Each structure stands twice: as structure tokens, then as C-alpha cells.
């Protein structure tokens, strides 16, 4: 439809090169088309920028969640290690106490 209007105006100008109305209409049409294209490019550029910002924010969120998950996992491992060390110490104390008892009995 857009190309049809431009072609029609060009056809009028080829038949009547001095047709001022057709010249003005064609110039105005082309100017508006460029403006529309510029607006569309700007709109698409803004949309693209917003998309990139959204992707960057999602990546940041994913990294943050991953780091929190790793910290939580490390904290759980650390607590298990501490509990294991406490169990080992308790068993060592029991053995030492048993050894002292056997030594006293002898």
C-alpha cells in the first residue's frame, strides 16, 4: 500500500513533471515515510535495549541465586563437618575414659 502511493505520485509526475501538488505530495509522503522509519528504528532500538537489560538482569539474578545456593551448600557441609568432629571427640573421650578405668583396675 505504501509503495502504491509512491508509485502513483511518481506516475503523475512523469506525465506532468510540473504538477506542483504531486511534487509536494510525493516529497511529503517520502518525508513522512522516513520519519516513520526513523520512529520504528528508534522503537525497535528501545525494545532491543530493554530486552538486553532484561536478559542482563535475569543473568544477574541467576548468578546471585547460584552463589546463594553454593553458600548454603558450603554452610551445610561445614555444619556436618563440625558435627562429625564433635562425634569424633566424644568417642576419643570415651576411649580415654575407658582406658583410665582399665588402668585403674589393673
Amino acid at each position: 500500500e505504501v509503495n502504491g502511493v509512491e508509485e502513483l505520485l511518481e506516475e503523475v509526475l512523469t506525465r506532468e513533471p510540473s504538477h506542483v501538488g504531486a511534487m509536494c505530495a510525493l516529497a511529503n509522503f517520502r518525508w513522512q515515510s522516513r520519519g516513520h522509519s526513523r520512529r520504528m528504528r528508534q522503537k525497535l532500538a528501545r525494545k532491543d535495549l530493554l530486552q538486553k537489560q532484561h536478559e542482563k538482569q535475569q543473568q544477574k539474578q541467576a548468578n546471585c541465586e547460584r552463589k546463594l545456593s553454593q553458600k548454603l551448600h558450603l554452610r551445610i557441609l561445614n555444619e556436618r563437618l563440625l558435627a562429625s568432629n564433635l562425634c569424633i571427640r566424644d568417642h576419643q573421650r570415651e576411649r580415654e575414659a575407658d582406658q583410665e578405668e582399665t588402668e585403674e583396675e589393673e
Side-chain angles (χ1 to χ4, degrees):
E1 183 178 60
V2 170
N3 288 339
V5 172
E6 190 171 12
E7 287 172 3
L8 180 62
L9 289 170
E10 286 175 349
E11 186 180 319
V12 169
L13 284 173
T14 52
R15 279 187 275 132
E16 278 189 60
S18 60
H19 193 291
V20 177
M23 280 192 276
C24 290
L26 183 59
N28 191 28
F29 177 79
R30 287 179 175 163
W31 182 79
Q32 286 180 350
S33 301
R34 275 197 305 270
H36 179 70
S37 297
R38 188 180 314 117
R39 284 193 299 275
M40 286 302 289
R41 283 193 306 273
Q42 288 172 344
K43 185 177 179 181
L44 290 173
R46 279 194 300 272
K47 187 176 179 182
D48 189 45
L49 178 64
L50 289 173
Q51 178 68 25
K52 286 180 181 177
Q53 287 175 340
H54 181 68
E55 289 172 1
K56 190 175 181 180
Q57 185 63 33
Q58 284 182 325
Q59 185 66 33
K60 218 175 182 181
Q61 181 72 25
N63 286 342
C64 185
E65 289 174 3
R66 183 179 44 79
K67 285 179 183 178
L68 285 174
S69 177
Q70 287 174 344
K71 284 182 180 180
L72 179 62
H73 184 67
L74 287 174
R75 189 172 289 162
I76 290 170
L77 289 176
N78 192 31
E79 288 177 9
R80 287 181 182 169
L81 182 61
L82 289 172
S84 175
N85 285 341
L86 289 174
C87 287
I88 291 171
R89 286 183 194 151
D90 287 345
H91 287 298
Q92 284 176 341
R93 287 184 188 137
E94 287 175 10
R95 281 192 219 133
E96 289 171 0
D98 287 345
Q99 279 181 342
E100 286 177 9
E101 283 180 18
T102 54
E103 286 175 3
E104 287 176 4
E105 288 176 2
E106 291 175 356

